[in-house]
Amino acid sequence: MSRFFFDLHSDSLSTWDDDGVECDTNDEIAHHALKHLAEAAEDSTARGSHAVVSVRNKADRAVLTATYTPFGGPRVEWSDRKPGKGAGFVPNPPSLSGPASLL
């Protein structure tokens, strides 16, 4: 199990995750990123802005970036090398349409 850190950026707010979360698979990493993104999107949609969750490993390498725009919905992009084992993660699920449906 590896530890990953989920940094949130929205408008002029940035929060840096100093604690991290233990994740076994790419699916777990994506789930936590989308969870943080959904929380940020709930606040930012009212203002018509976007949110970004940047996931980094313990070596401070970015492994995933999840973005949300009010009119474009969520988007998840992995870095060139996926960090762990995962079973069929779909990078951009077409069924996601708003903050409440991010999870």
Side-chain angles (χ1 to χ4, degrees):
M1 196 175 275
S2 297
R3 184 167 294 275
F4 294 90
F5 303 87
F6 299 81
D7 304 324
L8 171 67
H9 310 285
S10 178
D11 293 332
S12 60
L13 170 71
S14 288
T15 58
W16 303 95
D17 180 4
D18 293 326
D19 299 324
V21 175
E22 295 284 331
C23 298
D24 270 336
T25 66
N26 291 342
D27 289 340
E28 286 183 52
I29 296 166
H31 174 79
H32 285 287
L34 290 173
K35 178 181 170 187
H36 289 289
L37 194 62
E39 292 167 2
E42 287 294 329
D43 293 334
S44 65
T45 9
R47 297 187 302 270
S49 61
H50 69 279
V52 177
V53 173
S54 178
V55 182
R56 56 192 164 84
N57 61 17
K58 62 183 178 182
D60 274 341
R61 289 191 69 163
V63 296
L64 177 139
T65 302
T67 57
Y68 174 81
T69 58
F71 301 106
R75 180 175 172 91
V76 175
E77 293 183 36
W78 289 98
S79 65
D80 290 341
R81 301 180 87 179
K82 292 183 182 177
K85 302 173 194 165
F89 175 71
V90 178
N92 297 304
S95 63
L96 301 178
S97 60
S101 64
L102 287 175
L103 297 176

